[in-house]
Amino acid sequence: MDHHKMECKNCNKVLEQSFDYCPYCGQIANLGRLNFKQLLKDLWKAFSDADKGLLILIKQLIARPGHVARDYIFGKRKKYFNPFSFLAIMVAITLFFILQFENIGLNYAQITTGDGELLRFSFKYFNLLILLMCPIYGIVIWLLFWGNQINFVENLVLSAYLSGQTMVYYIIALIFFIIFPSSINILGTIIGILISLWYIMAILQFYRTKSFWSILKSLSVIIIAQLISQGLLLSTFSIYSKFTL
Ligand SMILES: [Zn+2]
């Protein structure tokens, strides 16, 4: 290999010295060793990148959730953050917030309802519950919108973006609860309604329809998915109680 050539460190193909990126695999050509500064730089880039960062994705998902999922499944895979990575990151961030909030929330629940056990259980397995919601929504949307040429995994992409973005809304709600703890019931209702409307908008965008029948089906998706998840929560809780109490 002469001095004007170098090797891609990812795929080992020979590159021209002038290349910024490897044309075969897309990795940066003159990649340095990993260090803490580089790690922070990469994390910050993943968060704030103007084209495909986490922040721009969250912003786009507010008004165009169905379009983002549709763009992604029909080929814009490099343009948007991977939906499943997005969900995993958002569950981790939300779990961090939940753990900070746990004691305030539990005290409040015990004072108002006297039933802290179920809430304690929900907090403890919050990440599992949320991760379950993604496939539940995926299956229910897929079944109710059967025959629209969009397969199950493609529906999972939509529900991963929706579940991840729901975490963003939960974090905002949590901050409100911490500031105004007495408004927990009214605020919970308002947020529940807003998120439901947002889900309906997302499904209608995703399936490119505005028909009354589709609105009815989207509403059914939410009701069925909520019933399934509440049922799962209560039944696992009762099994859990039998083994621990
Ligand atoms: Zn390469």
Side-chain angles (χ1 to χ4, degrees):
M1 194 161 61
D2 70 63
H3 286 295
H4 298 289
K5 305 275 184 185
M6 57 183 172
E7 215 175 70
C8 170
K9 285 168 183 162
N10 185 52
C11 69
N12 299 329
K13 294 234 166 60
V14 176
L15 308 178
E16 296 288 335
Q17 196 82 63
S18 60
F19 286 171
D20 290 329
Y21 293 91
C22 170
Y24 304 100
C25 73
Q27 175 159 284
I28 294 170
N30 55 354
L31 194 71
R33 293 277 297 275
L34 271 181
N35 57 37
F36 198 66
K37 196 179 152 202
Q38 187 60 42
L39 178 73
L40 285 180
K41 221 173 117 186
D42 289 349
L43 280 177
W44 177 246
K45 188 171 160 56
F47 184 72
S48 67
D49 188 278
D51 297 319
K52 51 185 173 118
L54 201 61
L55 275 184
I56 189 77
L57 176 68
I58 289 170
K59 200 180 143 203
Q60 287 167 329
L61 285 174
I62 294 171
R64 324 180 49 251
H67 297 301
V68 169
R70 211 183 157 87
D71 280 356
Y72 185 86
I73 66 170
F74 287 112
K76 294 202 164 82
R77 304 284 158 79
K78 281 237 159 192
K79 186 178 171 190
Y80 297 109
F81 211 91
N82 179 296
F84 304 103
S85 312
F86 174 57
L87 177 59
I89 290 170
M90 289 320 301
V91 167
I93 294 174
T94 313
L95 195 63
F96 171 79
F97 271 87
I98 287 269
L99 292 175
Q100 308 295 314
F101 175 71
E102 188 174 29
N103 289 326
I104 306 170
L106 288 178
N107 290 340
Y108 188 78
Q110 267 155 350
I111 294 162
T112 51
T113 64
D115 180 24
E117 265 320 299
L118 180 60
L119 197 66
R120 195 183 299 277
F121 176 78
S122 313
F123 272 132
K124 198 170 172 184
Y125 297 103
F126 170 83
N127 48 351
L128 282 178
L129 286 173
I130 294 301
L131 285 174
L132 262 178
M133 284 311 286
C134 175
I136 290 172
Y137 266 103
I139 290 168
V140 178
I141 299 171
W142 177 56
L143 289 177
L144 284 188
F145 285 83
W146 186 273
N148 282 278
Q149 315 289 324
I150 292 182
N151 68 35
F152 173 59
V153 176
E154 291 167 339
N155 274 287
L156 267 187
V157 165
L158 172 67
S159 71
Y161 276 132
L162 295 183
S163 306
Q165 183 78 351
T166 305
M167 299 297 96
V168 177
Y169 301 149
Y170 282 173
I171 291 172
I172 296 169
L174 272 176
I175 292 168
F176 266 104
F177 290 155
I178 292 167
I179 303 172
F180 309 108
S182 57
S183 66
I184 196 160
N185 289 326
I186 179 79
L187 219 62
T189 310
I190 293 171
I191 287 162
I193 292 170
L194 286 179
I195 292 179
S196 301
L197 290 174
W198 177 79
Y199 263 77
I200 293 173
M201 176 183 81
I203 296 169
L204 295 177
Q205 285 177 353
F206 187 70
Y207 280 100
R208 286 189 167 164
T209 167
K210 284 176 183 164
S211 71
F212 178 72
W213 179 232
S214 309
I215 296 172
L216 213 62
K217 280 200 287 187
S218 310
L219 190 63
S220 315
V221 165
I222 294 164
I223 295 167
I224 295 169
Q226 286 302 324
L227 285 176
I228 294 174
S229 66
Q230 291 299 316
L232 273 175
L233 175 65
L234 289 174
S235 54
T236 46
F237 178 65
S238 69
I239 294 166
Y240 170 87
S241 306
K242 267 183 200 135
F243 283 104
T244 54
L245 298 178

